[in-house]
Amino acid sequence: DIQMTQSPSSLSASVGDRVTITCRASQDIKNYSVWFQQRPGTAPKSLISAASRLQSGVPSRFSGSGSGTDFSLTISSLQPEDSATYYCQQYSTYPLTFGGGTKVEIK
Amino acid sequence: QLVESGGGLVQPGGSLRLSCAASGIILNNFWISWVRQSPGKGLEWVANIKQDGSKTYYVDPVKGRFTISRDNDKNSVYLQMNSLRAEDTAVYYCATGSNHLSWGQGTLVTVSS
């Protein structure tokens, strides 16, 4: 199975900060990665697919990059509503697998 | 929009059938996945099914116990869960595609005596 290792597991940052979350795949997944945001008590919401494709309606402060084994999600200017847990996922190979999540808190 | 139903409390060894119904989208245009989240834990993909139902895939812990199916005439996808265990306790979501771009709100399954 492909392991998706996210880091950090949690972070605390101030409004306006630039925040980057990384995800490392245990083998080459080309660009078959997707990022999700999950607020407490709600379903996950897709932010970025195919490593860097911003989903419709997602604010432009979110961006994704990477290919092969290393991927990142960046929030260019953190907003209060960005307080959530973020997950990466690979869809290159079965079983489909998720990272362990990164909890983002606002200072 | 996707809407899951069928969750509830069931004893270990019991069965449940979850449903995923769609409104505003035509499900037979998509692979459909079930993804679960145990209380306070991360996300785990469970199974998915091709548009015409000809291919299905499962995560190892549910193979032989869970069956995913679909009825495109009813615009619905199902997850039949048998021989349920305590570790199957989770919120179960359906989602579109293997990249899970759209999700339902989830349905809670609790396996407990």
Side-chain angles (χ1 to χ4, degrees):
Chain A
D1 298 1
I2 297 177
Q3 308 303 316
M4 300 294 284
T5 303
Q6 265 184 257
S7 61
S9 57
S10 65
L11 65 90
S12 181
S14 300
V15 172
D17 283 354
R18 182 181 182 89
V19 168
T20 297
I21 300 166
T22 64
C23 190
R24 174 162 288 177
S26 59
Q27 61 191 73
D28 186 351
I29 60 169
K30 298 181 174 56
N31 70 333
Y32 294 109
S33 71
V34 57
W35 289 94
F36 302 97
Q37 176 193 65
Q38 186 178 33
R39 297 188 177 104
T42 69
K45 171 189 172 183
S46 59
L47 301 174
I48 304 283
S49 68
S52 60
R53 184 181 304 156
L54 191 70
Q55 292 303 108
S56 175
V58 175
S60 59
R61 63 181 180 274
F62 290 92
S63 64
S65 66
S67 67
T69 60
D70 293 317
F71 301 87
S72 63
L73 172 71
T74 297
I75 308 172
S76 61
S77 178
L78 192 67
Q79 299 301 304
E81 60 268 31
D82 300 336
S83 178
T85 300
Y86 294 82
Y87 295 93
C88 60
Q89 181 223 321
Q90 65 82 19
Y91 54 102
S92 168
T93 304
Y94 288 105
L96 310 179
T97 49
F98 291 85
T102 297
K103 186 173 184 178
V104 174
E105 295 182 335
I106 309 297
K107 283 182 183 174
Chain B
Q1 184 176 352
L2 302 177
V3 179
E4 301 90 340
S5 61
L9 175 64
V10 61
Q11 292 189 339
S15 298
L16 276 179
R17 188 195 195 209
L18 306 184
S19 297
C20 171
S23 61
I25 65 171
I26 301 174
L27 276 192
N28 65 5
N29 288 334
F30 301 95
W31 282 76
I32 299 297
S33 285
W34 287 96
V35 177
R36 66 185 178 184
Q37 187 169 35
S38 299
K41 301 297 185 182
L43 300 166
E44 180 182 40
W45 170 78
V46 173
N48 67 0
I49 186 167
K50 194 177 178 181
Q51 288 91 331
D52 62 359
S54 62
K55 289 187 178 180
T56 59
Y57 295 92
Y58 299 90
V59 71
D60 280 350
V62 310
K63 283 180 182 175
R65 300 189 299 124
F66 290 11
T67 302
I68 189 171
S69 62
R70 66 193 303 159
D71 185 337
N72 287 336
D73 291 337
K74 295 184 177 179
N75 212 25
S76 294
V77 173
Y78 307 100
L79 186 67
Q80 177 67 42
M81 305 187 297
N82 298 331
S83 302
L84 282 162
R85 306 167 180 168
E87 54 265 36
D88 296 319
T89 294
V91 174
Y92 285 74
Y93 299 97
C94 60
T96 57
S98 297
N99 51 8
H100 307 133
L101 294 187
S102 296
W103 297 64
Q105 86 290 346
T107 187
L108 176 62
V109 172
T110 303
V111 184
S112 175
S113 55

